[in-house]
Coordinates of all heavy atoms in Angstrom, one line a residue:
F84 N 175.2 61.5 133.3 CA 174.6 62.8 133.0 C 174.1 62.8 131.6 O 174.8 62.4 130.7 CB 175.6 63.9 133.2 CG 175.1 65.3 132.8 CD1 174.2 66.0 133.7 CD2 175.5 65.9 131.6 CE1 173.7 67.2 133.3 CE2 175.0 67.1 131.3 CZ 174.1 67.8 132.1
T85 N 172.8 63.2 131.4 CA 172.2 63.4 130.1 C 171.5 64.7 130.0 O 170.7 65.0 130.9 CB 171.3 62.2 129.8 OG1 171.9 61.0 129.9 CG2 170.7 62.4 128.4
F86 N 171.9 65.5 129.0 CA 171.2 66.8 128.8 C 170.6 66.8 127.4 O 171.2 66.4 126.4 CB 172.2 67.9 128.9 CG 171.6 69.3 128.5 CD1 170.8 70.0 129.4 CD2 171.8 69.9 127.3 CE1 170.3 71.2 129.2 CE2 171.3 71.1 127.0 CZ 170.5 71.8 128.0
Y87 N 169.3 67.1 127.4 CA 168.5 67.1 126.1 C 167.7 68.4 126.0 O 167.0 68.7 126.9 CB 167.5 65.9 126.1 CG 166.7 65.8 124.9 CD1 167.2 65.6 123.6 CD2 165.4 66.1 124.9 CE1 166.5 65.6 122.5 CE2 164.5 66.1 123.8 CZ 165.2 65.8 122.6 OH 164.4 65.8 121.5
F88 N 168.0 69.1 124.9 CA 167.3 70.3 124.6 C 166.7 70.2 123.3 O 167.4 70.4 122.3 CB 168.2 71.5 124.8 CG 167.5 72.8 124.7 CD1 166.7 73.3 125.7 CD2 167.7 73.6 123.5 CE1 166.0 74.5 125.6 CE2 167.1 74.8 123.4 CZ 166.2 75.3 124.4
P89 N 165.4 70.1 123.1 CA 164.7 69.9 121.8 C 164.5 71.2 121.1 O 163.4 71.7 121.0 CB 163.4 69.2 122.1 CG 163.1 69.7 123.5 CD 164.4 69.8 124.2
L90 N 165.6 71.8 120.6 CA 165.5 73.1 120.0 C 164.7 73.2 118.7 O 163.8 73.9 118.6 CB 167.0 73.7 119.7 CG 167.1 75.1 119.1 CD1 166.6 76.1 120.1 CD2 168.5 75.3 118.7
T91 N 165.1 72.3 117.8 CA 164.3 72.3 116.5 C 162.9 71.8 116.7 O 162.0 72.4 116.1 CB 165.0 71.3 115.6 OG1 166.4 71.8 115.4 CG2 164.4 71.4 114.2
T92 N 162.6 70.9 117.6 CA 161.3 70.4 117.9 C 160.4 71.5 118.4 O 159.3 71.7 118.1 CB 161.3 69.2 118.8 OG1 162.1 68.1 118.2 CG2 159.9 68.7 119.1
G93 N 161.1 72.3 119.4 CA 160.3 73.4 120.0 C 160.0 74.5 119.0 O 158.9 75.0 119.0
L94 N 160.9 74.8 118.1 CA 160.7 75.8 117.1 C 159.6 75.3 116.1 O 158.7 76.1 115.7 CB 162.0 76.1 116.3 CG 163.0 76.9 117.1 CD1 164.3 76.9 116.2 CD2 162.5 78.3 117.4
L95 N 159.6 74.1 115.7 CA 158.6 73.5 114.8 C 157.2 73.6 115.4 O 156.2 73.9 114.8 CB 159.0 72.1 114.4 CG 158.1 71.4 113.4 CD1 158.1 72.2 112.0 CD2 158.5 70.0 113.2
L96 N 157.1 73.1 116.7 CA 155.8 73.1 117.4 C 155.3 74.5 117.6 O 154.1 74.8 117.5 CB 156.0 72.4 118.8 CG 156.1 70.9 118.6 CD1 156.3 70.3 120.0 CD2 155.0 70.2 117.9
S97 N 156.2 75.5 117.9 CA 155.8 76.9 118.1 C 155.3 77.4 116.8 O 154.2 78.1 116.8 CB 157.0 77.7 118.5 OG 156.7 79.0 118.6
A98 N 155.9 77.2 115.7 CA 155.4 77.6 114.4 C 154.0 77.0 114.1 O 153.2 77.7 113.6 CB 156.4 77.3 113.3
L99 N 153.9 75.7 114.3 CA 152.7 75.1 114.0 C 151.5 75.6 114.9 O 150.4 75.9 114.4 CB 152.8 73.6 114.3 CG 151.6 72.7 114.0 CD1 151.2 72.7 112.5 CD2 151.9 71.3 114.4
L100 N 151.8 75.8 116.2 CA 150.8 76.4 117.1 C 150.4 77.8 116.7 O 149.3 78.2 116.8 CB 151.3 76.3 118.6 CG 150.3 76.8 119.6 CD1 149.1 75.9 119.6 CD2 151.0 76.8 121.0
S101 N 151.4 78.6 116.3 CA 151.2 79.9 115.9 C 150.3 80.0 114.6 O 149.4 80.8 114.5 CB 152.5 80.7 115.6 OG 153.2 80.8 116.7

Side-chain angles (χ1 to χ4, degrees):
F84 175 76
T85 301
F86 176 75
Y87 177 68
F88 185 71
L90 182 65
T91 305
T92 301
L94 290 172
L95 183 65
L96 290 176
S97 176
L99 182 64
L100 183 61
S101 294

